[in-house]
């Protein structure tokens, strides 16, 4: 059984249970001396640690609006509000996909609600976030995916050039990053990005990850675009454009890792999104 790390005394923690471990972090459910429960996210040394550190800045800036609260930070450890254990993914079976999408849209609306506080200066520009897609479009010449990567890179450049507004973004919102807390549905695990709000809705089209048929269903794509665009007051066509671009970006990340299965999966759903967009 893994021993918990040393926690700062000021956090007043007297017990901890490891509840999750990923390539980037270990997540501890902690019990504080005042009887409350919280979470400690302890980051491991890895290449993309900047995503997690920017995410902490995003949470501090949001101050609990639409997301769990950042209660404290000590180097690469974050003390977080306990968000509960029910993920939005479970709502699809319990209440249906449309209900789950409406919840996600409500969470996004709260995350994008204007704040009087200045946004953190360290947030990652969206153009930088798409670096892997632009790189893949150049490298994929002559490969079986070269056409879709080139198309997505061209579209993304156009979207970024004419973005009407830039706001702080969660950067990785999907069904397993939305939890039901005592305060309602909240986002967890942000990446801290700055850019077009359409980007924040794009990943939802590709989730849950184990439901490929659902994600590629044209009716679901159309319905999701309608719900999200109405709730967030976004152009549904632009939303679908970003969804296509995001899928190709995600595929590029998998391609960089040599993961052909997931690369093909993302590109297949991106193609379905593109078809819906063409008919809209």
């Amino acid at each position: 059984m893994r021993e918990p790390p040393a926690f700062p005394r000021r956090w007043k923690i007297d017990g901890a249970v490891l509840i999750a471990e990923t390539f980037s972090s270990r997540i501890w459910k902690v019990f504080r001396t005042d009887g409350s429960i919280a979470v400690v996210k302890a980051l491991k040394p890895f290449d993309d640690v900047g995503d997690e550190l920017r995410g902490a800045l995003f949470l501090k800036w949001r101050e609990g609006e639409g997301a769990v609260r950042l209660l404290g930070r000590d180097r690469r450890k974050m003390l977080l509000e306990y968000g509960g254990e029910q993920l939005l993914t479970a709502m699809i079976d319990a209440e249906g996909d449309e209900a789950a999408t409406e919840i996600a849209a409500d969470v996004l609306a709260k995350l994008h609600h204007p704040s009087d506080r200045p946004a953190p200066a360290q947030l990652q520009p969206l153009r930088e976030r798409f670096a892997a897609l632009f790189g893949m479009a150049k490298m994929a010449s002559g490969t079986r995916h070269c056409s879709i990567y080139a198309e997505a890179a061209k579209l993304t450049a156009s979207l970024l050039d004419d973005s009407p507004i830039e706001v702080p973004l969660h950067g990785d919102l999907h069904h397993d990053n939305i939890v039901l807390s005592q305060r309602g549905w909240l986002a967890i695990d942000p990446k801290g990005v700055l850019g077009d709000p359409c980007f924040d809705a794009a990943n939802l089209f590709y989730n849950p990850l184990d439901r490929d048929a659902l994600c590629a269903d044209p009716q679901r794509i159309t319905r999701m675009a309608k719900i999200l665009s109405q709730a967030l007051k976004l152009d549904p066509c632009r939303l679908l454009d970003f969804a296509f671009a995001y899928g190709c970006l995600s595929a590029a990340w998998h391609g960089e890792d040599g993961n052909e299965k997931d690369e093909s999966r993302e590109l297949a759903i991106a193609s379905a999104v593109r078809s819906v967009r063409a008919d809209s």
Side-chain angles (χ1 to χ4, degrees):
M1 185 175 181
R2 188 177 294 277
E3 291 294 321
F7 302 119
R9 288 187 178 181
R10 64 182 181 277
W11 290 357
K12 299 180 180 180
I13 295 171
D14 63 5
V17 176
L18 183 68
I19 57 174
E21 182 166 359
T22 70
F23 75 95
S24 64
S25 60
R26 295 186 181 95
I27 312 297
W28 300 87
K29 184 178 182 180
V30 298
F31 306 91
R32 308 181 75 187
T33 56
D34 63 0
S36 65
I37 300 173
V39 166
V40 170
K41 186 174 188 178
L43 302 180
K44 301 176 182 178
F46 70 110
D47 291 344
D48 294 331
V49 69
D51 274 358
E52 302 294 337
L53 299 178
R54 287 189 298 268
L57 295 174
F58 178 86
L59 289 179
K60 183 178 181 180
W61 174 74
R62 275 284 70 175
E63 293 187 338
E65 186 171 16
V68 294
R69 293 186 174 97
L70 179 69
L71 304 176
R73 180 176 162 192
D74 183 70
R75 298 181 185 178
R76 295 192 176 188
K77 298 185 189 75
M78 304 172 203
L79 180 66
L80 302 164
E81 175 186 3
Y82 179 61
E85 299 178 9
Q86 182 175 337
L87 304 177
L88 183 59
T89 303
M91 282 294 293
I92 295 178
D93 290 330
E95 302 291 340
D97 181 64
E98 185 171 344
T101 301
E102 289 173 347
I103 291 169
D106 182 63
V107 170
L108 264 177
K110 293 175 181 176
L111 289 174
H112 292 178
H113 189 267
S115 171
D116 294 334
R117 301 176 300 279
Q122 301 92 331
L123 297 181
Q124 184 183 43
L126 193 51
R127 191 177 298 274
E128 183 180 312
R129 192 78 178 167
F130 272 100
L133 174 59
F134 294 131
M136 187 63 75
K138 294 178 181 179
M139 293 173 53
S141 178
T143 69
R144 65 191 179 107
H145 297 315
C146 62
S147 177
I148 192 169
Y149 278 131
E151 179 184 353
K154 182 178 179 181
L155 174 62
T156 299
S158 176
L159 290 170
L160 296 176
D161 286 342
D162 69 356
S163 183
I165 187 174
E166 289 189 340
V167 301
L169 305 174
H170 179 284
D172 189 30
L173 196 74
H174 54 75
H175 294 68
D176 285 348
N177 274 347
I178 301 175
V179 297
L180 182 58
S181 75
Q182 292 184 342
R183 295 196 295 121
W185 292 96
L186 300 173
I188 60 173
D189 199 23
K191 304 308 178 191
V193 180
L194 182 71
D196 193 304
C198 289
F199 177 82
D200 246 1
N203 196 8
L204 292 165
F205 289 85
Y206 296 82
N207 281 271
L209 292 176
D210 60 350
R211 308 205 182 193
D212 292 5
L214 175 66
C215 293
D217 181 354
Q219 292 184 348
R220 193 254 190 160
I221 295 169
T222 301
R223 182 174 64 248
M224 181 171 278
K226 180 179 179 180
I227 293 171
L228 292 168
S229 63
Q230 289 180 347
L232 303 174
K233 297 179 174 58
L234 298 172
D235 178 355
C237 293
R238 187 175 181 85
L239 184 59
L240 287 169
D241 282 341
F242 261 102
F244 170 67
Y246 177 85
C248 295
L249 170 61
S250 181
W253 285 330
H254 289 305
E256 288 181 338
D257 294 338
N259 185 345
E260 294 183 6
K261 178 181 178 181
D262 287 338
E263 179 186 20
S264 296
R265 185 256 184 192
E266 300 293 88
L267 291 177
I269 297 171
S271 296
V273 171
R274 178 179 55 184
S275 295
V276 171
R277 170 65 176 93
D279 292 338
S280 61

